[in-house]
Each structure stands twice: as structure tokens, then as C-alpha cells.
Amino acid sequence: MASTQRSSSPGRSPRNRASGTSTRVPESSWDPADEITVDHSSPVPLYYQVASQIEAAIDSGDLPVGARLGNEIDLAGSLGLSRPTVRQAIGSLVDKGLVVRRRGAGTQVVFNRVKRSLELSSLFDDLAAVDQQPTTRVLVNEVRSATDEMAHRLGVAEGTELLFLERVRSARGEPIARMRNYLPVTLVQPSSAVLEERGLYQLLRSEGVRLHAAHQSIGARVAEQADSELLEEPVGAALLTMDRLTYDQAGTVVEYGSHVYRASRYSFDLSLRGES
Amino acid sequence: MASTQRSSSPGRSPRNRASGTSTRVPESSWDPADEITVDHSSPVPLYYQVASQIEAAIDSGDLPVGARLGNEIDLAGSLGLSRPTVRQAIGSLVDKGLVVRRRGAGTQVVFNRVKRSLELSSLFDDLAAVDQQPTTRVLVNEVRSATDEMAHRLGVAEGTELLFLERVRSARGEPIARMRNYLPVTLVQPSSAVLEERGLYQLLRSEGVRLHAAHQSIGARVAEQADSELLEEPVGAALLTMDRLTYDQAGTVVEYGSHVYRASRYSFDLSLRGES
DNA sequence: GTCAATACTTTGTCCGGACATTATTACTTA
DNA sequence: TAAGTAATAATGTCCGGACAAAGTATTGAC
């Protein structure tokens, strides 16, 4: 996830690890049967009901870091579900990096809040989420025919009509980024007024476009005269650049974005999980 | 995943999507029974055998973008496995973003190579993987007691002894990055000679440390005098900065790194998958 | 010929059980 | 007391089956 202002304290997580000598964890016996309820008549999958309730317990602190979830078989029994269902629920939490399973040892909570691994979210949503009052100024909103390079990038025929957007995004009145986007005209054709109120991804989603994956490239360069004027940053200041190609579920390119951020006001924060 | 030199062509994927009008895909009937073999006596899990062989077929092009995998039931039958096993195999490919499942429609290949979503890999491995001949110059390799700030970051007591490393990483003889690392002395204490031959993560892995997650923050700044000398970049040039906190499976901090990259020679390339 | 209802295909979810593998714990023995 | 060994606990893998839900293709009516 991306956040405004340089993250000043990345690691403030309180550690209470039991290692070496037998420093026992309080083990405040969190009884799942008291906390989790499943509704068989609900259309939402049972494993999902279980997973989200455990996740909520982790968020609320009822399940602190290091706490053990009961074993899968007992859990299944006390919830009136089968083990595969409970296992699927826990599995989804493992995928999110919230808990760790070790055979023979059980399942433990590792983070009480992993910043969800750099979600496919837009700058607008990110800023709105932390109450940074995002605003947008639309500089260009027009249809252009694809140049050779753009056609290549988006995987369309040369000369195809593309919507070209150029916007400046601000937070609390201060400019944060200059954003350029190219997307097929067939998807959306928003008015500038709409673009000033909502983020592009929000718009695409409301049109039923399902964002599925993206390739990003993050780099840096120094501000030139044009950047300087738009971003209120002196010439020669450090800028972050981000190029992003976004795909829908069918693997078709939905959007190409080329953005520039003020490094003094912005950094990319992301979490990632490893191997096993 | 991070790569040297600015990614010049992020999207060159040939599209052959069947949409709107019925542009049918060749459908070159890839018979799984001919291509996939499972060894029941092998210790490697059956679902994993299946998954990796399908993945190999995608990489090799036998399963091009858009190709449909046979339905799960037939697949299971022809492989002599149960449906849950085959489903688990395909599920792992879905998690990797290689294929997409749609009920009623089947399972299709979406990317023939997703750069695996920014793995927990070190710069050394990344460079070695693309034959960039990484070399390391060790500037500092000593034990220091943790300052207030560092103790806080690593989640250890103030004054704890930490190994401090400062290195310059080059590729093909040209400097790429200046790296600073802090890690508990209990983990490793490599000689400078060893550090010049191998990456830090490689070293940790060989010591049995299982990297599990990391929080990163990517930013930018301009080169100062000291940077200039180490990286052979003029003062005022754009630099990428990356701070990373790495955790092991128990949630304990394994390493804190503060690195600086030459933006002219390096960018962070990463893929991410969204929501559903 | 176009559109709507129907049948079919395929994945999504869920159950119950079985054995293997690995960590931990308790016990026995030197 | 200490170390090795056995018992126990918990997840990992795998099987077989069942029904639901969503998308696709076919058929029928107008």
C-alpha cells in the first residue's frame, strides 16, 4: 500500500516471542465457539464467515500476536463444520500473512495488521483512506489515436483511439503527483467534473471492470521545469516515477499509467511475503 | 522483482483475446495425460508435481495465453488423481496469477510469465539471475550496540549488540547500490571475504533462517557528496531509497536494511494481483 | 432472423474419513 | 542430572462423493 509522507517508524510492533527459555505466552484461551458463529442459511461461504471473524478477532486484539488458534479438528467440531472447511478458512489467513501454520506445533498469529500487500488501489483511495482530503485537477481529458509506442504497450492496433488523461492530484491542498493515463475508449469516457470527484480506479470498478493484475516499475528522476511548476517543487528536486500496466481478468490491458510523485511528500510502502 | 536497468518494454504480451465477435482461439488441444506424469512414490506432493508441470508448460509456450486447461474432473480422471488434488494444484497457480478460473467457463492461462510478485530476494540474487556479474565491496563489517532508534526498529533492547554492514554492490563492474544492514549478532557473523562472494539473504538462508515477510518503503532523494563518491554519480543525481524490515516465521525481526540505488541504473519492477 | 427459455458444462463449496510427517512433551535410562 | 527414546499433538496430503451457482450453448417460439 502506498502512503503519504515518508514512513518514519516502519517497525513499532511489540514483540513478545517465546523462545529459548520457556517464556510462556499468557495463552488467554480464546474460545472460538464463544466468538465465532456461522450462518448456514447465509449465501456467504462458511469458510469465509469463519475467516473474516478470526481476522476481526486479530484486528481487535482478542487474538494478540503469538496467540495460538485451537487445532483444526477441535475448531471444526465446536463450530459444527468439517475440517476441510475450517482449514480453508485458516488457509486464506495464511495467504494474507496473518497467521503461520507449523505442523505439530499449531497455528499462530504473526502480525496483527499486515498492510495488505500493496493492493491494486489508486492514489485517490489511499489518500481518502487516511483522511488526506484528495483533490484532482484535470489538465487534459481527450481522445487521441494510439502512437506506435502506446499501441505496443497496450496491446492494441496502431491508431486505435485511446482516452488520454493528465491530472494533478493533491492532498490537503498540496500537490502530490502528476498522473498520465491511457485507456481504451470503450471502457469509460468520464467528464472532467466526474474525474475531479472520484479516482480512476473507483470509476472503472463502478463500470464493472474487474482489475486483476498489474506490472509496475518504480524509479526516480529529478524535477525539470515543467514538473516544477505543476508540483510546486524546485527544479532538481527528487521525484518518484511509477509506470503501471493494469490488466483485467481476461488478461487484457485496461490502463497504462505514467505518474510522477514528489519524493518529499510521498513514498511507496509495501509488504511482501516470502517463499514457503 | 527488481531488475537492473529501467524496464524499457513492460508490455509486449501478444494479445489474442476472444471478445465481442466470436474470434475463436486455436484451442490446440493440449492433452494433459501426454504431458503430465505423477510419481506416487516420490516424497514431493502430488498436487505440487501437477502444478509445476503445468507451470512449465505455460513457460514453454505449450500452453499459450488464453489456452484452456481441461476441466478438473476429467483432468483428475486422466491423471489417476482425485479432484481435490487437481484442484489444489490449479489453486496454487491461481494464487500465482498464472491462470484464472471462472465457473461454467473453465480455467484459462492469463500470463505466460508473471514476474513473481516481488519475491523476498536480495539484490545479489536478482543480479546473478540475469547474469549481471554482481560483486560486493565491504566498507564496514563490525558489531555495534544498538542506538535508541535501531533498538526500536528491530524490536530489541537498547544497547543490544547488532552486526552493522555497509557494502557497495556493483554489476558488471559498475556500482549500483550502497547498502546498510543491521541484524542481530546471534544469527550470522560472516567474514568480509564471505560477504564479497555471496548475498546476505543467501547467507541467512544457508544458516537456516526462514525469511517470511518484509515491510518496505521506497522513496527518492538526490545524491550528496558521499553518495557521489561511492556510486560514481554526480551530486544532485536522482537516487532511489529502499528501507526494509525483514521478519522470520515467528514474526521476529531478522534484518533492517537501508539502501540507496542509482536511479539511472536501477528500478523496482513488481507485479501485483488484485482483489477477487 | 432475433430473442428468450432451457439444458449442459464447469467451477465453488462442503462433507467425512484416512494416513503421513513433523514438533513438542514426557518418560526412561545411563 | 542429562541425554536419548517413545508417545502425543497438530498440520500436510489425499481420497471419494455431493450439491449449488454461474456461465455457455442449444433449442424453441414468435
Side-chain angles (χ1 to χ4, degrees), chain A residues 149-220:
Chain A
E149 187 192 353
M150 274 307 144
H152 201 237
R153 280 211 182 141
L154 289 165
V156 298
E158 200 177 325
T160 307
E161 301 218 308
L162 296 177
L163 179 64
F164 171 66
L165 299 176
E166 182 164 6
R167 297 168 294 163
V168 172
R169 174 68 41 80
S170 302
R172 297 181 177 278
E174 266 202 287
I176 296 291
R178 191 265 294 144
M179 311 155 73
R180 288 191 181 135
N181 296 87
Y182 299 82
L183 48 166
V185 283
T186 48
L187 290 177
V188 279
Q189 264 188 285
S191 68
S192 294
V194 169
L195 281 169
E196 307 216 329
E197 275 175 20
R198 305 168 65 188
L200 180 58
Y201 277 26
Q202 226 177 87
L203 233 114
L204 286 171
R205 255 184 273 263
S206 70
E207 289 295 317
V209 180
R210 311 266 289 171
L211 279 7
H212 177 256
H215 294 322
Q216 295 189 166
S217 184
I218 298 173

Side-chain angles (χ1 to χ4, degrees), chain A residues 74-91:
Chain A
D74 291 351
L75 216 55
S78 67
L79 293 175
L81 299 172
S82 72
R83 189 185 159 209
T85 303
V86 171
R87 198 172 158 69
Q88 189 176 6
I90 296 177

Side-chain angles (χ1 to χ4, degrees), chain A residues 1 113-118 269-273, chain B residues 118 213-216:
Chain A
M1 195 216 186
R113 178 43 52 199
V114 163
K115 278 181 236 151
R116 285 160 208 274
S117 55
L118 187 50
D269 285 13
L270 50 120
S271 306
L272 38 118
R273 274 167 289 110
Chain B
L118 187 49
H215 295 321
Q216 296 190 164

Side-chain angles (χ1 to χ4, degrees), chain B residues 13-194:
Chain B
S13 29
R15 303 260 134 261
N16 59 343
R17 177 165 162 251
S19 75
T21 54
S22 57
T23 327
R24 186 132 308 292
V25 174
E27 193 74 31
S28 55
S29 65
W30 178 79
D31 191 350
D34 292 350
E35 302 288 342
I36 299 183
T37 58
V38 291
D39 178 6
H40 283 264
S41 68
S42 163
V44 34
L46 298 178
Y47 81 90
Y48 194 86
Q49 293 184 31
V50 174
S52 46
Q53 286 179 69
I54 295 177
E55 194 175 344
I58 294 174
D59 279 346
S60 73
D62 288 348
L63 276 173
V65 173
R68 275 210 290 274
L69 259 52
N71 77 66
E72 296 169 351
I73 296 173
D74 291 352
L75 215 56
S78 66
L79 293 175
L81 299 172
S82 72
R83 189 187 158 208
T85 303
V86 171
R87 195 171 161 71
Q88 190 176 4
I90 297 177
S92 71
L93 298 178
V94 172
D95 284 340
K96 287 185 182 176
L98 287 172
V99 302
V100 171
R101 285 200 272 224
R102 279 182 303 152
R103 82 174 78 177
T107 306
Q108 282 184 302
V109 178
V110 280
F111 291 121
N112 60 11
R113 178 40 54 194
V114 162
K115 278 179 236 152
R116 285 159 207 272
S117 54
L118 187 49
E119 300 215 345
L120 213 37
S121 61
S122 67
L123 179 55
F124 192 92
D125 299 334
D126 288 346
L127 293 174
V130 287
D131 193 30
Q132 288 284 313
Q133 306 158 18
T135 54
T136 309
R137 185 156 59 98
V138 179
L139 304 176
V140 184
N141 177 5
E142 62 184 34
V143 175
R144 294 183 179 176
S145 66
T147 62
D148 188 19
E149 187 193 355
M150 274 307 144
H152 200 237
R153 276 205 187 148
L154 289 164
V156 298
E158 199 177 327
T160 307
E161 301 218 306
L162 296 176
L163 179 64
F164 172 64
L165 298 176
E166 181 163 8
R167 298 168 294 163
V168 172
R169 176 68 42 79
S170 302
R172 297 181 178 276
E174 267 202 287
I176 296 290
R178 191 264 295 145
M179 310 155 74
R180 288 191 181 134
N181 297 88
Y182 299 83
L183 49 165
V185 283
T186 48
L187 289 176
V188 280
Q189 264 189 283
S191 68
S192 293
V194 169

Side-chain angles (χ1 to χ4, degrees), chain A residues 91-107:
Chain A
S92 71
L93 298 178
V94 171
D95 284 341
K96 287 186 181 175
L98 287 172
V99 302
V100 171
R101 284 199 273 223
R102 279 182 305 151
R103 81 172 81 175
T107 306

